[in-house]
Amino acid sequence: MLFSTVLLKLEDWFPYQLLSNSCQKAARKIGRYGFFSRNPSLKSQQQLPLFPSVTKCDLEGRGSQTMVCDINSTLLRTQSFFPYFMLVAFEGGSIFRAFLLLLSCPILWVLDYELKLRAMVFITFCGLRVKDMEVVGRAVLPKFYLENLNFKVYEVLASTGSRVVFTSVPRVMVEGFLKEYLSVGEVVGTELQTVGRYFTGLLSGSGLVVKHRALKEFFGEKKPDIGIGSSSLHDHLFISLCKESYVVNNEETKSGGYGSGNSVIMPRERYPKPLVFHDGRLAFLPTPLATLSMFMWLLPGIFLAIFRISVGIFLPYKMAIFLGTLSGVKLRIKGLNPSSLEGGKKGVLYVCTHRTLLDPVFLSTSLGKPLTAVTYSLSKMSEIIAPIKTVRLTRDREKDGQTMQRLLSEGDLVVCPEGTTCREPYLLRFSSLFAELADEIVPVAMNTEVTMFYGTTASGLKCLDPIFFLMNPRPSYYVHILGKVPRELTCAGGKSSFEVANYLQRQLGDALGFECTGLTRRDKYMMLAGNEGVVQDKRKMH
C-alpha cells in the first residue's frame, strides 16, 4: 500500500517539478527585463506576513495567560525533526536501524509531510522496546532539544502561566522534555501503537494530530491568549484561533538572530534547568549530511582507534605523544615540571577530575612515568588494553582505604574522587576517602573535547568507551597539573577529610571554569539508567 502511494506521489511530483522550473525560469526573465519595476510596492505587499514576528510579543503581564505552540519548527530552531528520529533510531535501536533511516532519505524528500512522518515513525519505532524509548527520552534527547531551543519563543513561553503544546510528532518523543524542562502543562501529540512492551511502528487509531482541530477539541469555545507558529499555512490556521498570534521567521532562525541583541540561540546560562547529565554516543546533531559523514568515517575511525591504542600500549611516552599527535589527538599539558612532584617515603596521590576512563592514561603519558589507577568499575576489555596498572575498589570504605595505602607505599597513585564521569562543565561531589590517606596530594584538572562520539556511557557497553573516544577524528585532552596542596590544608595540618575534599573540588572547578555540585554517582545513574550504577558480583550472589 505504501509503495503504491509512493509511485502515485512520484507521478504527481515530476510534472510539478518540470512546471515549477519552467515558471521559475520565466519569472527570472521577466524580473531581468524589469516588467515589475514600475510597481515596487507589489512585491512588499505580497511578502507582508499575516502575523507579526515573535520578537514583537510583549512579555509583561503574561503570568495569568495561556500560550499554545508546536515544538517542531517553533520551539526548536531546527526545521526538520529527522535528527531527533535518528537519535532514537541510533541510541534506542541500533546502528542498523539508523542506517536504514538514513537510506530512506531520498524517498522522504519526495513524500509530503504526513507520509514522511509516518515513514520515519515506522522505521524508527517498529520493534523498538518502550523501555528503550523512555531511556532515550530521559537521557539523550533533552541535551539536543536544549541546544536547539529558539530563545525568543522560550522567553514568551516562560512569561506565561499556562502552556499547552500541540504537535504532530510522536508524543512519547517530546512529552518528558516539555514537562520536566519547560514546565508545559499539557502535551497533545501523535499517539503510537504498542503491543506488549514493543512499538509496532504504526500510529494509533486517532492518526496524526491535526493541530487546529486538536486545539478546538481541547479548548472548546474558549480561545488561548497567545499562539506562536511557523510561517507555514497549517500553522497560520492553527494560531489564528488564538487571541494574539505570532510567527517565527524561518530565514531569521537559520541566520541565528533577528538583529543585534536579538539572537534566537539559547545561551547555556539561560537553560530553564541545568543540564548536568546526559547519555548516548553521538556528540553531534545527526542531520542527514552529518549522519552520512559519520557512517563514512566508521571504518577508518575503527582502524584509527586501534592504531592509537597500540601506540599507547607498546611505545615509550614521548614516541606515543608524537605519533598520537600525528594521528589527530590533541594533548594540551599545563602545570609544573613532573620532576618537582616526587614524594617522600610514600608516593604522590594525584586527584583528578573525571571525564573518561582514559584520564589516568593521559596523565601518566603527560608526566612520562607509570602510575597506578584505582577505579570502582572497569570492564575486562578496558583492563586488558590499559597501558597502566589498574586496581578495582570494593566500595567498602575500610578495605578500599587499606588497598590505597598499600598502593601508595609502592608508588604514585591516581584517584578520581567523583566516582563517575561527567560530560558537562560541572564537578560532582568529591569522596573524602583519599584525603585521609596521603599528605602529598597533587590536584589535576582534566577536560576533554569530542566532535563525533562520546567516550562515556551510563546504559551502553562500557567496554567500548575508550574505542569510541579514540574513534573521534580529533579528540582533545587538557591536562592541568596544579601545585601540591600545602600541608596546612591537608588532614596532617588539622583539616578534616571533608574540608580537604571540598577545597580540592573548588580549586579544580576554578581551574576549569566548572561549577561545583553536590551530585553523586547515584544521582547520575538514577537519572540516566534508572539504577544506582552498581554491578552486583555474581559470585557473591550464589
Side-chain angles (χ1 to χ4, degrees):
M1 181 66 183
L2 179 62
F3 181 73
S4 60
T5 306
V6 171
L7 288 179
L8 289 174
K9 290 286 180 181
L10 285 171
E11 289 179 3
D12 292 336
W13 181 74
F14 280 112
Y16 172 80
Q17 287 297 313
L18 289 173
L19 181 61
S20 63
N21 288 338
S22 300
C23 292
Q24 287 175 3
K25 290 178 181 178
R28 281 197 295 267
K29 290 181 179 179
I30 292 173
R32 189 180 302 124
Y33 288 102
F35 285 96
F36 290 106
S37 60
R38 295 181 181 179
N39 190 5
S41 64
L42 179 61
K43 184 177 180 180
S44 62
Q45 288 175 5
Q46 290 174 339
Q47 293 182 348
L48 189 66
L50 295 176
F51 302 105
S53 169
V54 66
T55 56
K56 306 297 183 182
C57 182
D58 187 8
L59 304 181
E60 297 297 327
R62 302 285 189 182
S64 61
Q65 295 185 352
T66 299
M67 173 180 161
V68 298
C69 66
D70 190 354
I71 185 171
N72 188 21
S73 301
T74 304
L75 270 173
L76 297 180
R77 292 182 287 111
T78 46
Q79 300 302 308
S80 169
F81 221 74
F82 175 89
Y84 308 103
F85 279 102
M86 179 58 73
L87 285 168
V88 176
F90 187 92
E91 306 289 3
S94 66
I95 192 171
F96 303 106
R97 186 186 293 267
F99 187 63
L100 181 60
L101 182 59
L102 178 65
L103 290 179
S104 71
C105 279
I107 298 177
L108 294 178
W109 286 329
V110 177
L111 303 178
D112 63 17
Y113 178 76
E114 181 176 343
L115 282 176
K116 183 188 302 182
L117 197 55
R118 286 176 180 271
M120 288 193 293
V121 167
F122 183 80
I123 296 171
T124 303
F125 285 93
C126 182
L128 186 72
R129 293 193 304 176
V130 174
K131 179 182 177 182
D132 291 334
M133 178 60 239
E134 291 173 352
V135 171
V136 173
R138 179 178 64 246
V140 179
L141 291 176
K143 171 201 182 270
F144 295 94
Y145 288 151
L146 285 172
E147 289 177 346
N148 290 282
L149 271 182
N150 187 310
F151 184 45
K152 292 303 173 184
V153 178
Y154 168 73
E155 283 186 315
V156 180
L157 184 80
S159 69
T160 58
S162 178
R163 304 141 194 184
V164 183
V165 171
F166 295 88
T167 182
S168 56
V169 302
R171 177 183 57 83
V172 70
M173 290 181 65
V174 299
E175 184 176 40
F177 167 75
L178 290 171
K179 290 188 173 181
E180 183 176 351
Y181 284 85
L182 302 186
S183 301
V184 172
E186 295 291 338
V187 179
V188 180
T190 297
E191 300 293 339
L192 303 184
Q193 188 183 85
T194 59
V195 174
R197 296 176 297 171
Y198 295 86
F199 291 102
T200 64
L202 304 176
L203 308 186
S204 66
S206 56
L208 285 178
V209 167
V210 180
K211 288 182 288 187
H212 67 276
R213 293 177 189 169
L215 188 148
K216 288 181 179 179
E217 292 176 5
F218 188 89
F219 286 98
E221 297 300 322
K222 184 181 176 182
K223 282 190 173 185
D225 296 289
I226 308 172
I228 300 180
S230 67
S231 55
S232 70
L233 292 177
H234 292 289
D235 272 18
H236 280 205
L237 182 59
F238 167 62
I239 63 178
S240 66
L241 302 175
C242 304
K243 296 177 183 177
E244 296 180 51
S245 304
Y246 302 91
V247 294
V248 177
N249 189 297
N250 291 339
E251 293 302 321
E252 291 170 335
T253 300
K254 290 178 184 178
S255 65
Y258 288 82
S260 178
N262 286 302
S263 175
V264 298
I265 299 174
M266 171 74 82
R268 170 178 283 275
E269 60 272 14
R270 294 296 303 273
Y271 281 1
K273 183 178 178 181
L275 180 69
V276 182
F277 301 125
H278 58 87
D279 204 9
R281 290 296 188 186
L282 297 184
F284 62 96
L285 185 68
T287 61
L289 184 58
T291 306
L292 177 62
S293 302
M294 179 201 70
F295 276 104
M296 293 175 64
W297 174 255
L298 277 181
L299 188 59
I302 291 172
F303 284 112
L304 186 60
I306 294 172
F307 171 76
R308 289 166 173 171
I309 291 172
S310 302
V311 164
I313 294 175
F314 299 111
L315 296 183
Y317 297 114
K318 290 186 178 180
M319 183 64 70
I321 292 177
F322 175 72
L323 291 180
T325 302
L326 284 182
S327 72
V329 178
K330 185 178 180 182
L331 177 61
R332 294 182 295 157
I333 305 172
K334 180 181 179 182
L336 302 176
N337 189 327
S339 62
S340 66
L341 301 176
E342 298 297 331
K345 296 181 180 179
K346 280 187 176 183
V348 174
L349 180 63
Y350 293 94
V351 178
C352 302
T353 56
H354 202 8
R355 310 310 281 179
T356 76
L357 289 176
L358 297 173
D359 293 337
V361 175
F362 275 90
L363 176 60
S364 175
T365 303
S366 302
L367 293 173
K369 63 179 181 179
L371 302 172
T372 300
V374 291
T375 178
Y376 286 111
S377 60
L378 195 67
S379 68
K380 285 292 183 183
M381 181 175 178
S382 298
E383 284 184 320
I384 292 172
I385 66 175
I388 63 174
K389 181 180 178 181
T390 59
V391 177
R392 292 193 186 195
L393 299 179
T394 63
R395 299 187 186 279
D396 183 303
R397 192 175 183 88
E398 184 176 348
K399 289 182 180 179
D400 291 343
Q402 293 172 357
T403 300
M404 293 172 69
Q405 286 279 21
R406 174 177 56 82
L407 293 173
L408 277 170
S409 66
E410 298 172 359
D412 296 341
L413 186 64
V414 184
V415 62
C416 299
E418 291 174 276
T420 188
T421 58
C422 182
R423 299 173 176 178
E424 297 300 315
Y426 297 93
L427 293 185
L428 309 186
R429 190 179 72 189
F430 276 26
S431 168
S432 60
L433 176 60
F434 74 89
E436 304 169 1
L437 306 175
D439 300 331
E440 299 288 339
I441 301 175
V442 177
V444 181
M446 308 194 77
N447 196 17
T448 61
E449 292 180 5
V450 295
T451 55
M452 190 170 287
F453 301 111
Y454 284 115
T456 60
T457 182
S459 56
L461 294 174
K462 291 184 177 295
C463 61
L464 299 180
D465 284 357
I467 296 175
F468 269 106
F469 178 82
L470 294 173
M471 280 176 62
N472 282 284
R474 289 191 58 82
S476 173
Y477 239 101
Y478 172 70
V479 181
H480 184 183
I481 305 170
L482 306 179
K484 283 185 183 179
V485 178
R487 183 178 176 82
E488 60 271 17
L489 295 178
T490 66
C491 291
K495 297 291 183 180
S496 70
S497 60
F498 297 102
E499 289 176 319
V500 177
N502 291 336
Y503 167 75
L504 287 179
Q505 186 195 36
R506 290 193 300 270
Q507 188 181 24
L508 290 170
D510 292 340
L512 292 169
F514 288 3
E515 182 179 337
C516 298
T517 74
L519 299 172
T520 64
R521 173 191 177 89
R522 183 178 183 275
D523 297 322
K524 171 184 172 180
Y525 279 87
M526 286 300 293
M527 175 185 173
L528 299 183
N531 58 62
E532 296 187 8
V534 178
V535 179
Q536 298 292 335
D537 191 340
K538 295 182 180 179
R539 292 171 298 179
K540 294 180 180 180
M541 296 174 66
H542 293 291

